[in-house]
C-alpha cells in the first residue's frame, strides 16, 4: 500500500547521488517507502541547505533540530517528511536556550 512510484525512487536516488550518497539495501526499508541515512551534521546541512542547532528547555532536555530546510522542487513533491528537521517531539515546555551545533 505504501510502495513509492518508480519516479519517486528515481528522483530521490538522483538527488542523493548528486550529493555522493547512494540508496542501498542497508538504508532502504523493506517496503521501499522509507530511507535512513547516517551522516554528519555538516553533511545534513549541505544536503538540506540549512543550519542545525541544539535546542534546550529549562529542564535541560535537548534536541538537535533546524527551523527550516530546503530540497530541490524535483524531489520535494516526492517526500512526505525529512527528519530530524523541524519537529520537536519529546521536548516539553518552551525552548530556553539555542546553541549552534558544530558541523
Amino acid at each position: 500500500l505504501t510502495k513509492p512510484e518508480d519516479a519517486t525512487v528515481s528522483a530521490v536516488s538522483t538527488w542523493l547521488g548528486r550529493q555522493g550518497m547512494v540508496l542501498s539495501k542497508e538504508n532502504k526499508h523493506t517496503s521501499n517507502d522509507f530511507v535512513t541515512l547516517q551522516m554528519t551534521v555538516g553533511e545534513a546541512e549541505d544536503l538540506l541547505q540549512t543550519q542545525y542547532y541544539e535546542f534546550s528547555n529549562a529542564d535541560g532536555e535537548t534536541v538537535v533540530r533546524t527551523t527550516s530546510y530546503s530540497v530541490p522542487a524535483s524531489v520535494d513533491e516526492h517526500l512526505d517528511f525529512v527528519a530530524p528537521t523541524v519537529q520537536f517531539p519529546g521536548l516539553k515546555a518552551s525552548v530556553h536556550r539555542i546553541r549552534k551545533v558544530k558541523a
Side-chain angles (χ1 to χ4, degrees):
L1 292 173
T2 61
K3 183 178 178 190
E5 306 250 345
D6 290 342
T8 295
V9 175
S10 177
V12 172
S13 294
T14 299
W15 171 55
L16 293 174
R18 287 185 187 133
Q19 304 302 316
M21 300 174 190
V22 178
L23 287 182
S24 67
K25 286 182 180 181
E26 288 75 34
N27 58 27
K28 285 194 302 188
H29 291 253
T30 307
S31 59
N32 206 29
D33 66 338
F34 200 87
V35 175
T36 302
L37 298 169
Q38 291 186 359
M39 63 187 73
T40 66
V41 168
E43 290 168 331
E45 289 179 335
D46 290 344
L47 181 68
L48 302 173
Q49 300 175 21
T50 193
Q51 289 189 329
Y52 276 85
Y53 296 89
E54 186 177 85
F55 292 84
S56 301
N57 66 11
D59 294 332
E61 297 171 308
T62 302
V63 295
V64 175
R65 296 290 186 271
T66 186
T67 56
S68 65
Y69 65 92
S70 178
V71 297
S74 61
V75 174
D76 185 53
E77 65 183 281
H78 297 283
L79 300 178
D80 290 327
F81 67 94
V82 176
T85 52
V86 297
Q87 299 82 15
F88 288 80
L91 188 63
K92 299 174 185 166
S94 62
V95 171
H96 180 70
R97 182 179 67 127
I98 302 172
R99 183 175 67 91
K100 174 74 174 99
V101 175
K102 293 180 182 175

